[in-house]
Amino acid sequence: MLVIGLCGGIGSGKNMAQRFFANFGIPGLDADEVYHRLTEAPSECTRALAEAFGTTILHSDGSLDRRALAALVFGDGEEFRQRRELLNRLTHGAVLEECRAFLKKAKENGAFAALINAPLLFESGFEAECDLTVAVLASKEIRIARIMARDGLTRRQAEERIASQPDDTYLHTHTDYRIENDGTPEELREKIRAFCLGLMKEGEQYVHRKQQK
């Protein structure tokens, strides 16, 4: 079974891309959704975060207050960067465990390929477990507009989210494939359809040949 690592910055359209991959027979798991599930109720993960960042990041029921945590980790400067790195160290292990379990089940079910949608694919080191990596990219202004509309954030907050992640130059040089998503959902769907058709037609030979380029 081929393992695909899907990444891209906030607002690029990764989740929509994941749904289109599923439409063409490649099941996927969203690492962000796993993280949310692990923190929506009191757990080992929320307790570790509270020890690191203080109990103000928890709701009264012990679940994670994501807005409170975001205020501590998204911003300019070294202090914010160090907090983001700590957050990632505390959460990556538990998330990756679930990703591996998902891939194991997909393989047992006979899937030709399966996908992990991981914004921090390279930061977590999970790209080493993938047969190929795909980045979904979009221009900064389009991403800002999407984030503001989706999450109800100000422009400055949206820009801070974008600045906290690797830029497109990094993704261009570290991924095997790039899919531009400045257009309509229909255009993105067609690009993914073409990608999946090529992958299903030529399988692992297709992967290895593309990785050598």
Side-chain angles (χ1 to χ4, degrees):
M1 184 185 77
L2 297 174
V3 177
I4 301 170
L6 182 70
C7 61
I10 184 172
S12 62
K14 296 182 302 300
N15 291 347
M16 183 180 293
Q18 179 187 330
R19 291 194 295 271
F20 289 146
F21 272 104
N23 288 345
F24 296 116
I26 298 179
L29 180 68
D30 184 345
D32 271 351
E33 286 188 1
V34 173
Y35 166 71
H36 288 167
R37 187 170 70 254
L38 291 173
T39 56
E40 67 185 2
S43 64
E44 289 185 14
C45 189
T46 58
R47 285 189 286 274
L49 292 174
E51 287 180 9
F53 298 103
T55 56
T56 58
I57 66 164
L58 299 181
H59 291 296
S60 58
D61 64 357
S63 63
L64 183 65
D65 183 338
R66 293 188 180 86
R67 286 188 177 273
L69 180 59
L72 294 176
V73 301
F74 293 115
D76 297 326
E78 180 65 15
E79 185 177 6
F80 286 99
R81 186 189 66 79
Q82 290 180 357
R83 289 174 183 165
R84 287 195 297 272
E85 289 183 352
L86 176 58
L87 171 63
N88 292 337
R89 287 198 300 273
L90 292 172
T91 58
H92 278 169
V95 172
L96 292 181
E97 258 187 57
E98 294 221 10
C99 290
R100 294 182 182 113
F102 166 81
L103 292 172
K104 182 175 183 291
K105 185 174 181 180
K107 185 175 183 178
E108 290 171 350
N109 289 338
F112 164 75
L115 177 149
I116 298 295
N117 174 3
L120 300 178
L121 181 68
F122 292 94
E123 292 85 343
S124 67
F126 194 70
E127 87 285 354
E129 302 183 36
C130 299
D131 295 300
L132 71 160
T133 55
V134 180
V136 181
L137 306 175
S139 66
K140 182 177 179 179
E141 286 303 314
I142 287 178
R143 291 171 64 192
I144 289 172
R146 288 172 180 167
I147 296 166
M148 291 173 65
R150 183 190 67 193
D151 299 334
L153 300 180
T154 65
R155 181 182 178 89
R156 179 174 180 179
Q157 288 172 324
E159 290 175 336
E160 288 175 347
R161 300 294 196 279
I162 290 174
S164 72
Q165 298 178 337
D167 60 22
D168 285 357
T169 301
Y170 178 91
L171 296 178
H172 267 285
T173 57
H174 284 75
T175 54
D176 300 308
Y177 295 89
R178 274 71 57 190
I179 298 176
E180 298 290 341
N181 184 31
D182 280 346
T184 65
E186 291 74 20
E187 290 171 330
L188 176 62
R189 185 180 188 278
E190 179 57 27
K191 291 177 181 179
I192 292 174
R193 184 190 71 82
F195 176 86
C196 290
L197 285 176
L199 192 62
M200 292 174 183
K201 180 179 179 181
E202 301 189 42
E204 292 189 10
Q205 291 182 350
Y206 180 86
V207 175
H208 296 322
R209 185 171 67 251
K210 294 296 185 180
Q211 287 180 327
Q212 290 168 2
K213 289 187 176 182

